[in-house]
Amino acid sequence: HRFEEHNGVYADPMALSPDGMLVACGENELHLFDAETFDLLAREALGAKITALCFVGTGQIVAGLGNGQLVSIHIRKRDANDIAQ
C-alpha cells in the first residue's frame, strides 16, 4: 500500500475527509495527512487503540477506541499546531 510505504504509518483504520483533502489513520495514534502530498499535519495520542475513524463534515473526526469510548477531534486549521481534542 503506497500510503503505508510513504509514511511508515499503519493505515488501518483510515478515513478520507468529504472534500478529499485530508486522510486520517492510525492504530495507536491518530495521524492526519494532506491527501495530495501525504505531509503529516497532526498527530494525537488518544489513549487506546483506534478501531474506527470517520469524518463529520470537514471540521471534525470521530474515533472509536478499543476501550469502548468515542472521541471527537475538532480540526480548527490544517496544521499540526491547531488540532484539539
Side-chain angles (χ1 to χ4, degrees), residues 11-12 14 16 22 30 39 44 49 52 55 61 63 66 72-73:
D12 183 29
M14 178 187 284
L16 181 65
L22 301 172
L30 175 68
D39 289 339
E44 184 78 25
K49 182 177 178 179
F55 279 85
I61 302 168
S72 177
I73 299 109

Side-chain angles (χ1 to χ4, degrees), residues 10 25 37 56 59 65 76 80:
Y10 187 66
C25 65
T37 66
V56 179
L65 305 180
R76 291 187 297 250

Side-chain angles (χ1 to χ4, degrees), residues 5-81:
E5 292 171 4
H6 181 75
N7 292 294
V9 172
Y10 187 66
D12 183 29
M14 178 187 284
L16 181 65
S17 65
D19 63 3
M21 302 288 289
L22 301 172
V23 174
C25 65
E27 182 178 27
N28 297 309
E29 288 185 325
L30 175 68
H31 294 83
L32 187 65
F33 293 94
D34 180 290
E36 186 175 324
T37 66
F38 295 131
D39 289 339
L40 179 64
L41 302 175
R43 180 173 54 201
E44 184 78 25
L46 300 181
K49 182 177 178 179
I50 300 168
T51 58
L53 288 170
C54 71
F55 279 85
V56 179
T58 57
Q60 184 177 0
I61 302 168
V62 174
L65 305 180
N67 63 7
Q69 292 182 323
L70 288 177
V71 176
S72 177
I73 299 109
H74 298 275
I75 305 166
R76 291 187 297 250
K77 289 184 180 179
R78 296 212 173 136
D79 90 24
N81 297 319

